[in-house]
Amino acid sequence: MTGPDFTYESAARALGHARIAGVDEVGRGPLAGPVTAAAVILDPGAIPEGLNDSKKLSAARREALTEAILASAQVSIAHATVAEIDEINILRAAHLAMERAVAALDPSPDMALIDGNMLPHGLALPARAIVRGDAVSLSIAAASIVAKTCRDRLMRDLAQQFPGYGWERNAGYPSKAHRAALLNLGVTPHHRRSFKPVHNILYQEK
């Protein structure tokens, strides 16, 4: 299997779109914490070596690549909060985070390449959805790396304030230890109340 390349970006550039943002989000599956999105406009002349789907990279490699991306590309990071996830559902919240990340790029991109099979409704520019985009587009791969690194750091910080749930290791995902801590320690303000394991505990308490 070959890694991501610049094919989609080159096709967009051929249509006259000079500034193409790759967009990805991370954190749909966790029981706690925000959903985080990144938008990245790579400099075609200075693309960091080794960009790939963030899930295929070690944490140390993602950290190093994030620094390289921040140094060479235009980057924006945005979140949707736990309250927003509970209010509008996780898919809409993930799209909201993506919309915010794209909107925060200044100057604005001409086009966005979005990871997934759906385009966020609130995008105010031409866009293309690419299934498994982080595995085929360098710009989306870069966005996946930045989003994952940023959210992991955020969850490590929250783990300091709410010890015992293992967020520094599980990033809020429903690991066995995290589920056990939920039962033993209860629900924090950073838990997603609309997610079944959290919802069930709250209703058992009542």
Side-chain angles (χ1 to χ4, degrees):
M1 284 284 291
T2 55
D5 60 30
F6 218 57
T7 301
Y8 287 96
E9 290 86 346
S10 297
R13 290 169 78 86
L15 294 172
H17 301 299
R19 296 170 49 73
I20 298 120
V23 187
D24 200 1
E25 51 74 29
V26 65
R28 280 199 208 186
L31 303 178
V35 61
T36 300
V40 176
I41 301 175
L42 290 172
D43 175 353
I47 297 174
E49 287 285 320
L51 295 181
N52 206 336
D53 174 355
S54 64
K55 294 182 287 295
K56 296 179 179 173
L57 302 168
S58 69
R61 191 80 189 101
R62 287 194 298 266
E63 288 275 356
L65 281 168
T66 293
E67 296 309 314
I69 294 161
L70 292 172
S72 62
Q74 192 185 344
V75 178
S76 168
I77 301 159
H79 310 277
T81 65
V82 167
E84 287 169 329
I85 292 167
D86 286 340
E87 186 181 338
I88 61 178
N89 82 44
I90 185 59
L91 175 63
R92 181 72 195 97
H95 283 177
L96 181 62
M98 286 179 164
E99 291 162 14
R100 286 171 173 164
V102 172
L105 287 170
D106 185 21
S108 299
D110 303 315
M111 184 179 182
L113 301 176
I114 307 283
D115 183 58
N117 60 0
M118 289 172 65
L119 290 177
H121 294 310
L123 289 176
L125 78 172
R128 178 175 183 176
I130 304 171
V131 175
R132 293 196 65 247
D134 45 9
V136 294
S137 156
L138 283 169
S139 299
I140 297 176
S144 81
I145 291 165
V146 171
K148 173 85 174 126
T149 302
C150 175
R151 190 179 182 283
D152 284 355
R153 287 174 182 169
L154 192 150
M155 293 308 294
R156 284 198 298 274
D157 286 347
L158 287 179
Q160 302 282 314
Q161 300 167 45
F162 294 88
Y165 297 89
W167 292 343
E168 68 281 4
R169 296 182 302 279
N170 62 44
Y173 282 88
S175 67
K176 196 173 172 184
H178 187 185
R179 286 171 180 267
L182 256 178
L183 288 168
N184 295 327
L185 302 174
V187 177
T188 73
H190 297 286
H191 278 103
R192 301 171 181 180
R193 281 150 172 73
S194 57
F195 277 44
K196 206 166 187 177
V198 181
H199 180 86
N200 288 352
I201 287 169
L202 287 170
Y203 276 82
Q204 280 164 11
E205 286 173 359
K206 287 176 184 172

